[in-house]
Amino acid sequence: MNTLYRTNIQMLKTISNISNLRDQQFMDDLFPFYILMDNEMRILNSGRSMDKLLNLKKSVNFFKEFKIQLPLFVSDYTSIKENHSSLFIFSSINLPEIQLRGQFYFDKKENLICFIGTPLINSFNDLENKNLQLSDFAIHDSINQFLFTLQMHISSMKDAQDLANKLKLSVTNLTEINDSLDDLIYKLTHDLRAPAVNIKSMLIMLSKHIEIEKDTKAEQLYSNSRISTEKLLQTIEDFLELSRLEKIEKRPVEACNINGIIEEIKNENSVLIKSNKVKFKINFNGLEMVVGVYDDLKSIFQNLITNSIKYRAKNRTPKIIITAAQNGKFIRFSYSDNGIGIDIEKHRNKLFEMFSRLHSDSSISGTGIGLYLVKKLALKNNGLIEITDSIIDKGTTFTIHLPNNNQNT
Amino acid sequence: MITIDNNISNILIIDDDEFSRMYNEFTLRDTMNYKGFVKMCSNGQLGIDYLINTIEQDLPDFILLDINMPIMNGFEFIEEFQKIKNSFTKEISIFMLTSSVSQRDKSTINQYPEVKGFLSKPIDHIALLNLIENNSKFE
């Protein structure tokens, strides 16, 4: 800064040599905030920008208009002359918020004193409040650099704000579209369910007549229709479950008893369990309380159990073993079956993906949503599910981590 | 042959879906060999009207009640049923017919002591038999 002021003084010296400090046009262009005074400190001229800032009357004494703050104890012509190479800061007496910073130049030949400097500006608002613009500053003024940077900063902030607003709007639109899509899927699957159930009902009724007629061709057609209807219904059920998950509907997070949940699933699926002679071996070691949304936790185990039955090995009694152990703030449930198993090395990454079906057997109805749903539900409830082990024709083991809610642990 | 309890001789089905009613009757008669009387109503209001205008001995042993129906749905039917049930000496059980029900719906329904169970559509005769067996009233 000091170097710059020295340069300004050099310029002024040169001007006084080739021209005259009284040349307003010339001075305005170079130092728009200058104040020219005679040797008694009476104001003779002032720059065009200074005139915008303050209404300085001609021939009024400088000390009637300004109060010098730096250097200290400077209050007359002599002391200004003694300190003229220092940096001066002074403020307007009428408008104390206006401060000026600069130096005084003494033109010995003409016996004149000239202040050259600029007002102190610390923000764009400040600039506007002082009724000034960037063009009011000299091109060589260092404040220009500062103000220019400030302007760039402000305009890029404005751009960023505009962009953020646009983004926010897009997110709102997308959320709306997403919500209405979820809603549509829910309504669609919900409305599809009733006629699909009816088709299944009518087919069951039809089968009675086919049995009586003993028409083998009709029996085959009935059986095919029945399989397709089961697949249709399963897909609808899975999509219903999935869209329930996506729905924003808040369901209470509470302490849930996993043992109770398993018993409820066993009761509700008693027909399926009895007809396949499924054996359960459950030992929670007293660790059966977890925190989560009841329906979600039930859905996790419901899916695992129906999968175990669906992918049972035909040559042995299906067995499901569920145990629990504590693992820090989580209960680690181990869920094993003795089903047909999965080629774990080949399918590990695909296992929990949507619509991935790993068994080529088309007689097993599946939509590839089940395990995807299970994974999503576990994550939603601050838990985790992973496949621990699976051996072809031996069985599969899953580990499910869920937040612990057992009092004495 | 699976047969329904012989003490059961009156059943009321309240469901707006014609095919669903047809199938429910089929399950009772053809699959469960039920020989008694079946009354069918297509909404809750008709069900209430029927109960009011039926003499005590012809009142149903249980009601198969659908949830979503026009005019008066399943929940509204239960509310109305609670108002009139004290005029009957016979205890009437209600089994809800549901397409997949959330736990919250179930908790709501469970607050009604008259509801003795749920059946998922299309109804399974073994599941219905289990409900009847687990219901002490029929023992």
Side-chain angles (χ1 to χ4, degrees):
Chain A
M1 198 62 96
N2 274 335
T3 324
L4 201 91
Y5 279 100
R6 264 200 295 282
T7 316
N8 285 345
I9 296 293
Q10 286 303 323
M11 280 168 74
L12 212 52
K13 269 183 188 162
T14 317
I15 293 160
S16 63
N17 284 333
I18 58 164
S19 178
N20 184 332
L21 297 183
R22 293 180 191 268
D23 184 340
Q24 284 193 44
Q25 179 75 46
F26 205 76
M27 288 294 286
D28 264 353
D29 288 347
L30 282 168
F31 304 106
F33 290 96
Y34 83 95
I35 304 168
L36 187 68
M37 293 156 280
D38 64 15
N39 57 1
E40 283 169 37
M41 298 293 283
R42 280 188 300 244
I43 297 169
L44 301 173
N45 277 329
S46 50
R48 58 172 163 92
S49 300
M50 181 59 90
D51 292 345
K52 280 178 87 175
L53 195 64
L54 289 167
N55 184 23
L56 297 177
K57 291 190 185 76
K58 298 273 162 69
S59 66
V60 170
N61 190 287
F62 175 84
F63 291 105
K64 287 234 167 86
E65 290 284 349
F66 299 104
K67 187 172 179 289
I68 294 184
Q69 286 157 334
L70 268 178
L72 298 169
F73 317 117
V74 172
S75 56
D76 58 17
Y77 174 78
T78 325
S79 51
I80 288 182
K81 199 169 181 181
E82 278 167 7
N83 290 286
H84 76 274
S85 61
S86 326
L87 185 67
F88 280 79
I89 294 176
F90 52 85
S91 58
S92 159
I93 289 168
N94 292 331
L95 299 163
E97 69 272 17
I98 293 177
Q99 283 191 307
L100 291 143
R101 177 165 63 177
Q103 280 173 298
F104 288 91
Y105 171 71
F106 287 78
D107 185 340
K108 284 158 198 152
K109 201 168 63 189
E110 299 276 338
N111 228 352
L112 295 169
I113 308 164
C114 186
F115 166 76
I116 49 168
T118 50
L120 284 175
I121 303 286
N122 42 42
S123 72
F124 251 92
N125 280 344
D126 199 13
L127 193 68
E128 271 174 34
N129 292 341
K130 292 187 166 79
N131 197 26
L132 293 172
Q133 292 165 337
L134 269 182
S135 57
D136 291 325
F137 292 83
I139 195 86
H140 56 87
D141 196 330
S142 64
I143 205 160
N144 248 329
Q145 208 78 35
F146 168 68
L147 288 174
F148 185 68
T149 315
L150 210 61
Q151 196 182 37
M152 291 280 281
H153 178 71
I154 287 170
S155 69
S156 46
M157 283 297 277
K158 201 178 158 287
D159 285 352
Q161 189 61 50
D162 283 353
L163 219 62
N165 287 341
K166 275 184 191 163
L167 211 62
K168 210 171 149 191
L169 201 70
S170 305
V171 169
T172 315
N173 284 342
L174 272 177
T175 313
E176 273 171 20
I177 292 170
N178 212 6
D179 286 353
S180 59
L181 257 179
D182 287 345
D183 218 40
L184 181 75
I185 291 172
Y186 182 78
K187 280 185 183 139
L188 192 68
T189 45
H190 193 266
D191 289 354
L192 282 176
R193 195 182 183 275
V197 163
N198 279 342
I199 293 170
K200 184 181 171 182
S201 309
M202 296 303 123
L203 282 173
I204 294 169
M205 289 163 76
L206 181 65
S207 73
K208 279 275 169 186
H209 294 278
I210 292 170
E211 263 177 48
I212 297 162
E213 299 285 329
K214 300 209 185 306
D215 181 338
T216 48
K217 184 67 189 163
E219 222 166 279
Q220 183 60 47
L221 290 173
Y222 155 76
S223 159
N224 292 349
S225 312
R226 187 66 197 272
I227 291 167
S228 294
T229 312
E230 291 296 346
K231 278 186 185 171
L232 175 65
L233 264 173
Q234 189 56 53
T235 309
I236 290 169
E237 295 289 356
D238 284 350
F239 269 97
L240 266 178
E241 195 69 32
L242 197 64
S243 60
R244 269 205 203 109
L245 174 74
E246 306 291 352
K247 273 186 110 164
I248 312 159
E249 181 197 347
K250 273 244 179 277
R251 285 185 280 186
V253 174
E254 56 195 346
C256 299
N257 185 327
I258 293 292
N259 198 23
I261 286 174
I262 304 274
E263 285 308 312
E264 195 175 300
I265 295 168
K266 279 162 75 179
N267 277 334
E268 287 175 3
N269 296 277
S270 59
V271 181
L272 187 70
I273 288 166
K274 267 181 206 159
S275 62
N276 289 296
K277 301 187 175 69
V278 185
K279 282 200 176 125
F280 282 87
K281 200 178 146 195
I282 294 163
N283 186 2
F284 287 119
N285 294 314
L287 299 165
E288 48 195 46
M289 297 307 292
V290 299
V291 181
V293 175
Y294 189 94
D295 281 357
D296 293 351
L297 301 178
K298 188 175 161 190
S299 187
I300 290 174
F301 284 98
Q302 168 93 44
N303 269 289
L304 290 177
I305 290 170
T306 46
N307 264 359
S308 289
I309 299 173
K310 205 185 279 176
Y311 301 109
R312 67 190 181 276
K314 298 275 152 57
N315 59 353
R316 56 178 176 264
T317 313
K319 262 186 217 155
I320 292 169
I321 302 167
I322 312 173
T323 59
Q326 200 186 341
N327 181 16
K329 288 180 174 170
F330 290 87
I331 303 288
R332 191 181 63 223
F333 294 96
S334 172
Y335 178 100
S336 307
D337 66 30
N338 62 345
I340 56 176
I342 306 156
D343 186 342
I344 193 167
E345 290 313 317
K346 204 167 143 194
H347 296 304
R348 190 183 285 277
N349 294 331
K350 278 206 249 162
L351 195 62
F352 292 102
E353 272 176 28
M354 209 203 280
F355 305 127
S356 74
R357 298 208 47 215
L358 311 175
H359 300 278
S360 51
D361 189 346
S362 64
S363 71
I364 301 172
S365 71
T367 55
I369 292 179
L371 279 183
Y372 168 78
L373 188 74
V374 164
K375 183 190 165 192
K376 287 271 251 182
L377 287 172
L379 286 174
K380 193 182 144 213
N381 286 276
N382 301 315
L384 192 70
I385 180 163
E386 52 199 358
I387 185 158
T388 321
D389 199 11
S390 189
I391 301 165
I392 295 282
D393 205 35
K394 289 275 184 220
T396 306
T397 302
F398 289 98
T399 305
I400 307 118
H401 304 262
L402 292 169
N404 186 1
N405 191 49
N406 291 284
Q407 299 296 319
N408 51 355
T409 51
Chain B
M1 186 77 177
I2 298 152
T3 49
I4 203 160
D5 195 312
N6 280 330
N7 294 331
I8 295 170
S9 57
N10 271 296
I11 297 171
L12 172 61
I13 297 171
I14 305 174
D15 194 328
D16 64 315
D17 189 315
E18 187 194 345
F19 292 156
S20 178
R21 290 198 302 268
M22 198 194 283
Y23 180 72
N24 291 339
E25 191 182 11
F26 167 85
T27 305
L28 290 170
R29 296 214 183 279
D30 290 52
T31 315
M32 301 174 87
N33 206 23
Y34 171 67
K35 304 282 188 219
F37 177 71
V38 176
K39 169 70 187 176
M40 291 194 277
C41 299
S42 59
N43 68 57
Q45 185 58 57
L46 294 174
I48 291 292
D49 292 347
Y50 171 74
L51 291 177
I52 291 171
N53 296 312
T54 301
I55 54 163
E56 182 76 23
Q57 67 192 58
D58 289 343
L59 283 172
D61 298 292
F62 64 80
I63 300 169
L64 294 178
L65 179 65
D66 187 29
I67 295 178
N68 290 319
M69 288 180 289
I71 303 167
M72 185 190 282
N73 69 26
F75 295 119
E76 291 161 344
F77 173 84
I78 298 170
E79 299 283 343
E80 288 304 310
F81 177 77
Q82 285 181 330
K83 291 178 194 163
I84 59 166
K85 68 165 188 176
N86 287 337
S87 60
F88 313 138
T89 43
K90 193 174 194 170
E91 194 197 329
I92 304 170
S93 303
I94 297 174
F95 300 139
M96 300 297 277
L97 299 175
T98 67
S99 36
S100 32
V101 179
S102 79
Q103 184 62 31
R104 193 205 271 168
D105 280 350
K106 266 192 185 174
S107 316
T108 320
I109 297 169
N110 274 335
Q111 288 168 1
Y112 300 117
E114 299 81 10
V115 178
K116 305 291 186 195
F118 299 89
L119 289 166
S120 180
K121 282 185 181 181
I123 60 165
D124 182 273
H125 64 280
I126 297 175
L128 176 57
L129 219 55
N130 281 342
L131 276 186
I132 294 167
E133 276 171 16
N134 293 337
N135 204 338
S136 54
K137 185 171 80 87
F138 299 114
E139 278 170 7

